[in-house]
Amino acid sequence: MFQIKTDGYAYYGFAIATYLVSVIVYLMTVQQTLSLWDCGEYIACSYTLGVAHPPGNPLFLLIGRIFSLIPLVSDISHRINLLSVLSSAGAATLGYFVLYKLISFFPGHAESPARRWLGYFCAFSGALLFAFSRTNWSNSVEAEVYALAMVFYFALIWLSLRWYETREQNTAPRYFMIISYLGVLSVAVHMTSFLVIPAIFGFAILADEKLRKDPRFWLSGVALFSITVGVGLFFTIVGIWFAVSLFFYLTQRRREWLLALLIASAAIVGYTPHAYVPIRAAEKPTINQNNPDNWERFASYIERKQYGQQSMFSKMFHRRATWVHQLGDFPRIGFGGFLLDQYGMGGAWFLIPALLVVLGLYRLIRYRLIIGVYFLGVLFLGTIALVLYMNFSDGSLMDPLTGLDKLEVRDRDYFFTPGFITFALCIGLGLYALFQWLFELGKQSLSKGTAIGLGLLTLVFPAIALSANFAGNDRSDNYLPYDYAYNYLMSCPQDAILFTNGDNDTFPLWCLQEVYKVRNDVKIANLSLIQTDWYQLQLKHELGVPISFSDAQLQWDSPTNPRPLEPYTDRFMGGRRHQLMAFQDQSTGRLVSVADQMVENIIEANNWEYPLLFANGVPPGIRYDLTGHKVYRGMLVELSQQRTDQKYYKDVTYDLYMNVYQARNLDNPESYRERVATTLIVAGVQMGIEFADHLAREGDTTRALALTNKLIEQYPEFWQSYTRKANFEGYSPAQADSLVTDYLTYLDKLLENNDDNIFYYQYKALSLQYLQRPGEAIEMAERAFELNPVVPVTYHTLLTLYLQNGLRQKAIDISRSYLECNPGDQTALAMLSGQF
């Protein structure tokens, strides 16, 4: 039977080097506190053993809790981020072992020490390229699930190759038992890891005729795959198969029944971490998403019914975007664009790694057909198959009323992590295949010295990726998520209720409250979650938010049927009774959401006992006449009990901006700013500029100027701060132009490190237009639109510049293009209808 031959210390030495190099780079770039999106929630739930959003990732949270207790560093979030650091380095090391095993299948490899050394270098190179690929690196330096998921992913691949080597030995069944256990266990981290199981099953039936003809093995595969359909079906099928296998093994004592029994038993044991979910939910932790404390809610939670009743398998047959957008280079969803960004070799240069992948797989298939087809299948599942399965939306099918199927809210590259890192390993495989092919053509033997020299040459590839991706993945100086959440919480008066909207204005706040114990008196009410009955009941009974709806008026008929048990009397509809569900107001034609109705009820039930504030303004669907009741308090909007003419709590707002708000490292042009982070920065500084304008209009130019200077000091990247400063200082046109010209120099430094950030091109365009340089301004705005032609900021900026400079036909052309993925945009519709 085939076995790998190694040179002992060298083989394991390269593995250790893979781990150490990866760890060192990750430690240099790891986030020191919390990150945006899910990270704040995962950190808070790990620290408090809460219940995170569906499907819960319980194993990740349990391991995260252990890391939170180890005093490697002082900051709790930093500790949990280290889980990703160590996991991802481990995954890259497993990638090294997998790649070397694939290389060892090439003919003549085992007999030639020189080829073995070349194999070590190529495996090392591919593993480091795996480690430093853009998306994987991003996952490796923050508290996300994908780094740990990839450990399982490549452990499963390695185990399958080990089975292949020993498939005719009596010990072979144990590999399937371990694969079954780890495959199901990995689901408690993230479903991505299970993606490789179909490939392993196909590999097994191709490689072993006995298994191919054994119906027991096929039924075991069906039992395992049922986990992707539903938890109830999984328990039913696996439970029955376990009982049947046990019975026939005890009565027949046949090896085939033992294999089926081991697979079923391991699957059941592997699912046990999910018991964490109902156990913790029953204890009512502060973060308890979906409250899955009974079987019905647990099943709904695991199957992610909160995000829609239709299964992912059903959805994939109804395309939500064009094939060109999903497979090409389209903002936020395009797989091809993400792939081009991975290894620092984009554009025409990407042809080099692409050809290496083709060559490596071709020669592997040529030499070991089954192994080559298997790994090609692994690559296919992590790339094209995932594109089909995830079926991301480009916004072209968006319903203008409900906003369903709008463009994805952020880059979805992280879902394709298995494909990107498998592709990286295939580049290493291709390097070995290329060298072998060249020596075959020349009919020359390979010396050890030449092998080492060529091996060192292969390290150019990970070096390029390291250089290209370092700045974009360096989170070591990023404190924005913490400071952003801190500023929001500190804006609130004592015992306030703060309405937030989505992940980024909620999860960081949860993290600060639960982990850092900042302003626990503030009650957070998320307007996305508030449309679910479980969250409404949590707010009412556990978080102390005043709600006058009865429990029966809130509680749904079932987790999958969002119709409350009893109706309520709607005072805004003349006392009509209806269920707490979204409806279209016939008088206005506007959709009144569940969130709107809940906010109305809280306003009324609160009766001004607690301060009510909103993170992103009062929702427009609220039917209360709040004219004169909305007053800005720093970056938040507070409802005033009495009608008032004042727009701001001026003294409080001024003190917050001048003395309270934190903005660490936002004056550093070398710090990487991805688009969402820039959006958050803009939101805060824009509101500060508007407040400065308000002070100036009231004649308080001293404080207006002081505030503007403070904003420039903390947030020097925003263009309007400079034009306001020139205005408040009474600069002459020449002085103002000089100030903005100096700002452009700073902006160019930002663009050096953030050349894909659309906001900085937009700022440059607007600044150049201010300096009356319209040609250059339009060029910058077109560059921003080219980078991302589907977000409002690029479209509206370019549209305005076209119209200001008399380029009407171009304005019409981009409006038509923009509408393809934003069919409800009123500005674009008005432009095409001739209303501009």
Side-chain angles (χ1 to χ4, degrees):
M1 204 66 241
F2 177 81
Q3 294 289 338
I4 287 183
K5 184 175 181 180
T6 69
D7 294 282
Y9 292 121
Y11 174 66
Y12 291 106
F14 276 95
I16 294 170
T18 300
Y19 191 85
L20 290 179
V21 172
S22 302
V23 161
I24 290 170
V25 172
Y26 293 158
L27 288 175
M28 292 171 62
T29 55
V30 68
Q31 182 87 29
Q32 306 293 304
T33 60
L34 65 141
S35 302
L36 293 174
W37 299 108
D38 297 343
C39 302
E41 182 200 25
Y42 283 142
I43 291 168
C45 287
S46 293
Y47 186 65
T48 64
L49 291 180
V51 179
H53 66 277
N57 319 100
L59 183 59
F60 177 85
L61 299 184
L62 288 167
I63 299 174
R65 172 58 179 168
I66 295 172
F67 270 75
S68 75
L69 298 175
I70 303 174
L72 297 173
V73 289
S74 60
D75 187 282
I76 299 297
S77 296
H78 191 178
R79 294 178 190 177
I80 299 173
N81 293 338
L82 292 178
L83 167 57
S84 292
V85 166
L86 300 180
S87 297
S88 193
T93 306
L94 285 169
Y96 163 82
F97 286 123
V98 167
L99 180 51
Y100 185 78
K101 197 172 284 288
L102 294 177
I103 288 171
S104 68
F105 288 112
F106 281 62
H109 176 85
E111 294 76 21
S112 170
R115 291 192 179 190
R116 291 200 296 272
W117 272 89
L118 182 59
Y120 301 144
F121 273 105
C122 289
F124 182 55
S125 176
L128 290 184
L129 197 58
F130 168 139
F132 302 144
S133 58
R134 182 168 184 169
T135 297
N136 180 68
W137 191 344
S138 177
N139 295 334
S140 306
V141 292
E142 61 186 18
E144 258 290 4
V145 296
Y146 300 99
L148 183 57
M150 291 305 97
V151 173
F152 283 97
Y153 193 84
F154 281 93
L156 289 166
I157 294 173
W158 185 83
L159 286 166
S160 68
L161 294 174
R162 284 291 298 142
W163 163 80
Y164 179 78
E165 294 176 332
T166 62
R167 62 190 182 280
E168 294 181 3
Q169 300 177 13
N170 291 332
T171 58
R174 70 183 180 186
Y175 285 106
F176 282 117
M177 179 185 69
I178 300 172
I179 288 170
S180 175
Y181 171 71
L182 290 181
V184 176
L185 182 69
S186 71
V187 175
V189 175
H190 196 266
M191 198 71 188
T192 302
S193 305
F194 199 81
L195 181 71
V196 76
I197 293 295
I200 293 175
F201 181 80
F203 176 45
I205 60 176
L206 283 175
D208 192 318
E209 184 179 5
K210 293 179 181 178
L211 294 179
R212 187 164 60 248
K213 294 181 178 180
D214 187 351
R216 285 161 292 220
F217 188 73
W218 286 85
L219 288 172
S220 295
V222 170
L224 277 183
F225 296 153
S226 67
I227 198 172
T228 64
V229 180
V231 60
L233 182 66
F234 171 73
F235 277 131
T236 300
I237 293 179
V238 171
I240 292 173
W241 188 233
F242 169 80
V244 170
S245 302
L246 178 62
F247 173 79
F248 281 105
Y249 176 69
L250 292 176
T251 56
Q252 298 182 8
R253 296 288 180 178
R254 294 186 59 181
R255 183 183 179 190
E256 293 82 0
W257 282 114
L258 175 60
L259 176 60
L261 178 62
L262 290 175
I263 291 174
S265 303
I268 293 171
V269 176
Y271 203 80
T272 54
H274 283 87
Y276 163 93
V277 172
I279 291 172
R280 285 302 297 159
E283 295 298 316
K284 307 302 180 191
T286 304
I287 302 175
N288 185 18
Q289 295 232 39
N290 290 61
N291 188 29
D293 59 356
N294 60 49
W295 172 255
E296 187 177 22
R297 285 191 173 276
F298 172 74
S300 176
Y301 173 84
I302 294 298
E303 294 166 15
R304 305 174 80 250
K305 292 295 178 66
Q306 175 177 316
Y307 305 117
Q309 300 302 309
Q310 190 178 16
S311 72
M312 294 288 287
F313 284 108
S314 299
K315 282 184 179 180
M316 68 182 288
F317 295 106
H318 304 281
R319 305 314 298 169
R320 302 167 62 214
T322 67
W323 291 111
V324 172
H325 287 173
Q326 289 185 337
L327 292 170
D329 185 7
F330 193 77
R332 303 190 192 173
I333 68 168
F335 170 79
F338 293 145
L339 183 61
L340 287 171
D341 284 342
Q342 289 302 308
Y343 317 107
M345 294 170 279
W349 288 105
F350 189 76
L351 189 61
I352 296 174
L355 289 175
L356 287 171
V357 169
V358 172
L359 178 63
L361 288 173
Y362 165 74
R363 291 182 75 84
L364 181 61
I365 290 171
R366 177 184 171 188
Y367 297 136
R368 290 277 179 164
L369 177 63
I370 293 175
I371 296 292
V373 169
Y374 168 45
F375 212 67
L376 178 62
V378 171
L379 181 63
F380 174 79
L381 285 173
T383 54
I384 306 302
L386 262 183
V387 173
L388 301 176
Y389 180 73
M390 298 309 303
N391 193 15
F392 291 127
S393 172
D394 62 5
S396 61
L397 304 177
M398 184 183 74
D399 185 327
L401 183 63
T402 64
L404 296 177
D405 268 340
K406 60 186 178 182
L407 177 68
E408 300 294 326
V409 296
R410 59 166 166 155
D411 287 349
R412 297 303 190 186
D413 57 312
Y414 51 91
F415 280 106
F416 302 117
T417 300
F420 296 149
I421 56 184
T422 302
F423 196 92
L425 294 184
C426 289
I427 294 173
L429 183 69
L431 286 168
Y432 184 85
L434 174 64
F435 293 136
Q436 186 203 49
W437 178 57
L438 291 176
F439 276 92
E440 285 178 357
L441 287 177
K443 297 181 179 180
Q444 296 179 3
S445 60
L446 179 66
S447 68
K448 188 173 180 181
T450 302
I452 293 175
L454 292 174
L456 291 172
L457 185 62
T458 68
L459 299 182
V460 169
F461 284 85
I464 291 172
L466 175 65
S467 175
N469 294 331
F470 191 95
N473 286 302
D474 185 4
R475 307 285 194 273
S476 62
D477 57 358
N478 178 21
Y479 300 95
L480 174 64
Y482 183 103
D483 291 349
Y484 171 73
Y486 178 86
N487 294 345
Y488 264 25
L489 289 172
M490 296 307 293
S491 299
C492 296
Q494 187 70 26
D495 298 323
I497 298 172
L498 173 59
F499 292 98
T500 58
N501 290 271
D503 295 354
N504 281 330
D505 65 357
T506 302
F507 292 165
L509 275 64
W510 282 354
C511 187
L512 258 67
Q513 288 187 320
E514 297 299 310
V515 177
Y516 299 95
K517 309 305 178 185
V518 175
R519 293 301 304 273
N520 293 87
D521 60 291
V522 177
K523 301 174 180 64
I524 307 296
N526 180 281
L527 293 176
S528 296
L529 298 178
I530 209 171
Q531 303 189 83
T532 60
D533 65 335
W534 59 267
Y535 188 63
Q536 295 161 358
L537 292 167
Q538 282 182 16
L539 291 176
K540 178 180 178 180
H541 294 297
E542 295 162 32
L543 300 181
V545 175
I547 295 173
S548 62
F549 287 132
S550 69
D551 288 2
Q553 290 169 337
L554 299 173
Q555 189 171 346
W556 294 349
D557 182 59
S558 73
T560 57
N561 181 21
R563 176 177 290 276
L565 299 175
E566 292 183 5
Y568 79 96
T569 302
D570 191 336
R571 57 171 296 198
F572 296 100
M573 299 184 69
R576 174 187 162 190
R577 290 178 64 79
H578 64 85
Q579 263 88 7
L580 181 59
M581 301 177 70
F583 64 92
Q584 191 169 6
D585 190 328
Q586 296 303 315
S587 62
T588 63
R590 191 166 53 193
L591 181 72
V592 180
S593 68
V594 172
D596 294 330
Q597 297 167 71
M598 284 299 301
V599 173
E600 291 167 355
N601 182 269
I602 291 171
I603 291 173
E604 187 173 76
N606 181 54
N607 196 27
W608 308 108
E609 179 181 358
Y610 301 115
L612 299 177
L613 296 97
F614 295 84
N616 289 282
V618 179
I622 301 297
R623 292 171 290 171
Y624 269 111
D625 180 9
L626 296 175
T627 305
H629 288 282
K630 294 179 284 186
V631 184
Y632 280 98
R633 182 186 181 96
M635 293 188 292
L636 306 177
V637 175
E638 183 175 359
L639 294 186
S640 168
Q641 182 173 359
Q642 304 298 327
R643 288 185 183 271
T644 178
D645 293 332
Q646 63 177 328
K647 185 178 180 180
Y648 293 91
Y649 294 121
K650 290 188 294 186
D651 291 341
V652 172
T653 299
Y654 185 78
D655 181 64
L656 286 170
Y657 272 101
M658 296 297 291
N659 302 311
V660 178
Y661 287 165
Q662 297 183 166
R664 288 175 289 176
N665 207 44
L666 296 182
D667 59 348
N668 179 9
E670 296 182 358
S671 179
Y672 179 69
R673 308 268 208 280
E674 50 90 26
R675 185 184 63 83
V676 173
T678 310
T679 303
L680 300 180
I681 295 171
V682 173
V685 70
Q686 177 74 61
M687 296 179 77
I689 289 295
E690 291 174 0
F691 177 50
D693 284 342
H694 178 81
L695 291 174
R697 285 193 298 269
E698 293 196 340
D700 193 351
T701 55
T702 300
R703 290 207 296 181
L705 180 58
L707 174 57
T708 304
N709 285 329
K710 182 73 171 182
L711 291 172
I712 291 175
E713 175 191 335
Q714 291 187 321
Y715 314 94
E717 64 191 62
F718 191 54
W719 74 283
Q720 285 186 344
S721 303
Y722 298 87
T723 59
R724 293 304 193 277
K725 176 179 173 64
N727 182 48
F728 299 149
E729 289 273 24
Y731 281 2
S732 66
Q735 289 174 314
D737 287 356
S738 177
L739 181 66
V740 175
T741 300
D742 290 341
Y743 163 66
L744 285 174
T745 302
Y746 179 83
L747 197 57
D748 284 338
K749 293 180 181 177
L750 275 170
L751 282 168
E752 287 179 11
N753 297 288
N754 302 275
D755 61 357
D756 61 347
N757 193 309
I758 58 174
F759 289 98
Y760 298 145
Y761 291 103
Q762 179 213 8
Y763 297 167
K764 191 168 184 178
L766 295 170
S767 300
L768 289 166
Q769 180 72 5
Y770 177 86
L771 294 173
Q772 299 182 6
R773 294 155 61 180
E776 295 172 80
I778 289 174
E779 182 182 347
M780 287 297 104
E782 287 176 338
R783 173 60 176 152
F785 190 74
E786 178 187 339
L787 284 170
N788 199 325
V790 294
V791 298
V793 65
T794 60
Y795 164 67
H796 289 105
T797 300
L798 185 55
L799 176 71
T800 300
L801 290 174
Y802 279 155
L803 293 175
Q804 286 177 349
N805 293 281
L807 301 172
R808 186 169 185 80
Q809 186 57 50
K810 286 192 172 183
I812 292 172
D813 292 342
I814 64 159
S815 297
R816 186 175 292 114
S817 172
Y818 180 72
L819 272 176
E820 291 180 5
C821 292
N822 296 274
D825 188 87
Q826 295 303 307
T827 302
L829 290 170
M831 186 70 221
L832 293 181
S833 65
Q835 296 178 31
F836 272 80

